[in-house]
Amino acid sequence: MKYISTRGNAPAKTFTEILLGGLAPDGGLYLPEQYPQVTRAELDAWRKLSYADLAFAVLSKFATDIPAADLKAIVTKTYTAGVYCNGRADSPAEDITPLRTLEPGVHILELSNGPTLAFKDMAMQLLGNLFEYALDKQHAELNILGATSGDTGSAAEYAMRGKRGIRVFMLSPIGKMSGFQRAQMYSLQDPNIFNIAINGFFDDAQDLVKAVSNDHAYKATHKIGTVNSINWGRVSAQIVYYFKGYFAATQSNDEQVAFSVPSGNFGNICAGHIARMMGLPIGQLILATNENDVLDEFFTTGAYKPRNTSHTYETSSPSMDISKASNFERFVFDLVGRDGAKVREFWGKVDKGGSFDIKDTAYWEALPKFHFSSGKSTHYDRIKTIQGMWEEYGVMVDTHTADGIKVGMEQRRPNLPLICLETALPAKFEETIVEALGRLPERPAAMEGIEKLPQRCVEMDADVVKLKAFITAHV
Ligand SMILES: *Cc1c(COP(=O)(O)O)cnc(C)c1O
């Protein structure tokens, strides 16, 4: 299996060759040359597999340059009840992603029982083990530099802590995260994790990361890498739970289902699109946005108009506060019949701050065959959904999952079982839960009182010279 760039101008690479990198040299994103197909016999056999065995079966089709025994060992070590045991006390941890049925035909797929209580752990934990394996083989080291406003940074740190050959330098804006988020990250005492609190906003932290990454000489000598959501390893790991959720919600492989996905960077739902392209019987992929609705706008009007940070709203589902969806380019590559020149043309505009519109093209006619629906949700909708779920089913959901449920219920086709992806636990977003329900969400036992643990972090001005000096001193 080789990987090609969405912009059509980069040499094909293997899974391990693209694992540690980011963008392709032509600025595009990597995708398989063609999607591996899953036969009916395979689907029938996969239905009975444990999560780790299913992950092995799915990922074997993508990571063809990792010896089977090694890949098997990596997924077995990753997808254990011990790693994914943070969920509510009534969730069977050995399922890894338990399916909670609200009523016949309406389900929640729990993806947030990992160490940081968000679905990003599903892929990031695997990535940590894949990175360690690949670096060991190459006798190499990697210094991961990132900026976070919450979820991604903590998921990366919990995945990379204690890993050989890897250090994490994670920038976060001082005072802009919740006490819980801060405690989750800053209480890590692993010597390979460096939390750097930046005097400024998230954008200032992000700019520092870009400044270091654009210094190609520094980046090369200091082996700087990233783990952002365009990483192919992350997308491929997310494909697995679409299969798992499908099997859990159906009796046979003749049935179709709908998935509803709270979306920001289009990473999660991109995995669903790929699962469908592989042959998983998904009848409908429902994309939910919050008030930051560029993706809903595309699927309803054909115009993709990314916005800049000053036009991105701060909402109560903050992990979806994104107005430029990096993984969306992967879907558009398929939509335009894998025409790299067309993607170059579109993203030539996007990269200059512009937009594109497919309304009057054949691509708009082609869109329905990808089975997407979309909708948006507002703060009011989230509150109402959180209340409704609690009153009707006694189930507490977080704000992002609520966006997905609201849009999923609106957009679902009759007779198609609906699987709403849970992307975080309510414990991560206490403030909005209290606003909706007048009570605090339950916290997994392991997280009780983490705000009281000693915290370890350095404070720094938003100054690239100081940041480089710090990294240089610690590698
Ligand atoms: C990252 C995140 C999302 C958005 O996922 P994408 O892959 O960026 O579309 C939604 N909800 C939560 C809780 C997240 O952390």
Side-chain angles (χ1 to χ4, degrees), residues 340-416:
K342 199 72 206 174
V343 174
R344 273 204 308 283
E345 181 196 318
F346 285 165
W347 261 267
K349 295 175 186 167
V350 168
D351 288 343
K352 286 196 199 72
S355 60
F356 64 84
D357 192 338
I358 63 159
K359 188 59 181 254
D360 297 317
T361 70
Y363 307 131
W364 181 250
E365 309 296 322
L367 191 56
K369 72 172 200 250
F370 292 93
H371 299 272
F372 274 82
S373 304
S374 80
K376 68 181 275 190
S377 166
T378 63
H379 180 73
Y380 175 84
D381 298 320
R382 279 189 279 288
I383 297 289
K384 285 283 161 219
T385 305
I386 292 167
Q387 290 169 342
M389 295 296 293
W390 184 242
E391 281 156 20
E392 254 179 81
Y393 307 109
V395 171
M396 208 185 276
V397 296
D398 96 291
T399 51
H400 306 76
T401 308
D403 287 332
I405 293 170
K406 186 260 178 183
V407 175
M409 291 301 224
E410 253 169 28
Q411 297 287 330
R412 66 183 295 219
R413 292 207 309 264
N415 305 325
L416 216 49

Side-chain angles (χ1 to χ4, degrees), residues 112 117-120 151-152 229 234 238 241 261-270 295 317 319-320 322 327 398 400-401 422-425 428-429:
S112 308
L117 317 187
F119 88 100
K120 291 194 171 65
D151 287 349
T152 313
S229 81
R234 281 179 65 180
Q238 291 169 180
Y241 54 71
V261 189
S263 296
N265 256 324
F266 205 82
N268 195 351
I269 201 162
C270 185
L295 290 169
S317 45
S319 303
M320 294 156 66
I322 286 160
N327 279 290
D398 96 291
H400 306 76
T401 308
E422 173 208 68
T423 56
L425 289 194
K428 288 198 98 161
F429 303 95

Side-chain angles (χ1 to χ4, degrees), residues 31 35 62 232 235 239 269-279:
L31 270 181
Y35 294 122
F62 293 104
W232 170 254
V235 176
I239 296 170
I269 201 162
C270 185
H273 159 68
I274 295 170
R276 201 190 63 79
M277 297 294 277
M278 293 169 73

Side-chain angles (χ1 to χ4, degrees), residues 246-266:
Y246 171 80
F247 295 135
T250 56
Q251 305 295 320
S252 96
N253 297 323
D254 297 321
E255 296 170 53
Q256 289 207 329
V257 300
F259 281 97
S260 181
V261 189
S263 296
N265 256 324
F266 205 82

Side-chain angles (χ1 to χ4, degrees), residues 256-329:
Q256 289 207 329
V257 300
F259 281 97
S260 181
V261 189
S263 296
N265 256 324
F266 205 82
N268 195 351
I269 201 162
C270 185
H273 159 68
I274 295 170
R276 201 190 63 79
M277 297 294 277
M278 293 169 73
L280 186 68
I282 299 175
Q284 199 184 12
L285 279 167
I286 302 170
L287 179 146
T289 71
N290 62 19
E291 290 88 336
N292 297 292
D293 58 354
V294 271
L295 290 169
D296 178 43
E297 185 176 18
F298 173 79
F299 283 99
T300 49
T301 72
Y304 181 56
K305 298 193 245 174
R307 301 167 198 154
N308 55 25
T309 43
S310 63
H311 292 91
T312 305
Y313 306 109
E314 277 186 36
T315 75
S316 45
S317 45
S319 303
M320 294 156 66
D321 292 349
I322 286 160
S323 295
K324 196 185 244 180
S326 39
N327 279 290
F328 183 54
E329 183 171 337

